Amino acid sequence: KMFRLRALGWPVALTRRTFVSSTALRKTTAEQQMEDKLKAALDATLVEVMDQSGGCGAQYAVRVVSEKFRGLSSLKQHRMVSAVLKEEVQDMHAIRIFTSEPE
């Protein structure tokens, strides 16, 4: 059973940084570039990208909240995110995408 961390709305497994020192909270260049790209392309109100591979960039978790998702199925929302990150996804082993509309 997955628990939700209320502050972020992320599954607990995705919040490992909240349990480590503040120096680990710094974003990698790749994380920041993907966040910037998603914010611009999807006019997102919230974007969080987290490298879950320990720094090698093989696996990411991505959370995007955008008005552009309103009325779309989860599959279409995820395809929109994947399309924006098309180049980056080619070099990844895995990507977990979480999308939602603003409340």
Side-chain angles (χ1 to χ4, degrees), residues 40-57:
L42 299 174
D43 194 28
T45 56
L46 175 70
V47 177
E48 295 172 321
V49 176
M50 184 182 297
D51 182 348
Q52 294 188 308
S53 63
C56 73

Side-chain angles (χ1 to χ4, degrees), residues 33-66:
Q33 287 174 344
M34 284 188 274
E35 283 187 9
D36 294 343
K37 199 170 183 180
L38 288 164
K39 281 179 189 174
L42 299 174
D43 194 28
T45 56
L46 175 70
V47 177
E48 295 172 321
V49 176
M50 184 182 297
D51 182 348
Q52 294 188 308
S53 63
C56 73
Q59 180 176 335
Y60 286 90
V62 177
R63 180 174 177 225
V64 182
V65 178
S66 174

